[in-house]
Amino acid sequence: MITPAFAQGTGAAASGTDVILQVVPFVLIFVIMYFLILRPQQRRARQHQDMVKNVRRGDTVVTTGGIVGRVSKVTDEASEIEVEIAEGVRVKVVRTMIAEVRAKGEPVKAA
């Protein structure tokens, strides 16, 4: 009583457009991710590199660990700087671990 249904194949031209329609959402997702995630992250990384490269003696810095101190010694070729965190107490800090650079005389930002 029930006849079997046979699948009918589509033409070659239709299968080409099907592939394109399946790829388009993935391309759109990648473009959206690039503009919302990757591009701003690259911009922040570039700003951080410039900030770390321009650290000078006398600048007040905040490390990623939250230590606030004044830069007492900087060498251009070294990856470390010397920071005075208290009177007579100096520590070496890796340049990339600087989270923020505050200029001389700049007040602490209110929370």
Side-chain angles (χ1 to χ4, degrees), residues 9-22:
T10 59
S15 67
T17 57
D18 288 343
V19 171
I20 291 173
L21 289 176
Q22 290 176 356

Side-chain angles (χ1 to χ4, degrees), residues 24 36 40 75:
V24 168
L36 293 179
T75 53

Side-chain angles (χ1 to χ4, degrees), residues 85-99:
I85 58 175
E87 195 170 321
V89 180
R90 292 187 173 101
V91 294
K92 287 187 178 181
V93 178
V94 178
R95 281 183 183 249
T96 56
M97 292 293 114
I98 295 174

Side-chain angles (χ1 to χ4, degrees), residues 1-86:
M1 304 243 196
I2 299 174
T3 60
F6 296 101
Q8 295 180 352
T10 59
S15 67
T17 57
D18 288 343
V19 171
I20 291 173
L21 289 176
Q22 290 176 356
V23 172
V24 168
F26 292 110
V27 172
L28 288 175
I29 289 170
F30 179 75
V31 169
I32 290 170
M33 282 181 53
Y34 176 76
F35 282 108
L36 293 179
I37 298 171
L38 297 175
R39 193 167 171 224
Q41 185 178 7
Q42 289 173 346
R43 188 177 332 123
R44 278 193 303 269
R46 202 172 321 120
Q47 287 173 345
H48 184 261
Q49 285 177 344
D50 292 340
M51 175 190 68
V52 168
K53 189 177 8 173
N54 294 325
V55 170
R56 299 289 175 241
R57 185 172 176 243
D59 290 346
T60 302
V61 296
V62 180
T63 66
T64 55
I67 297 173
V68 179
R70 187 171 301 273
V71 178
S72 60
K73 184 178 177 184
V74 177
T75 53
D76 290 333
E77 58 274 348
S79 65
E80 298 175 344
I81 61 172
E82 191 172 283
V83 177
E84 185 174 6
I85 58 175

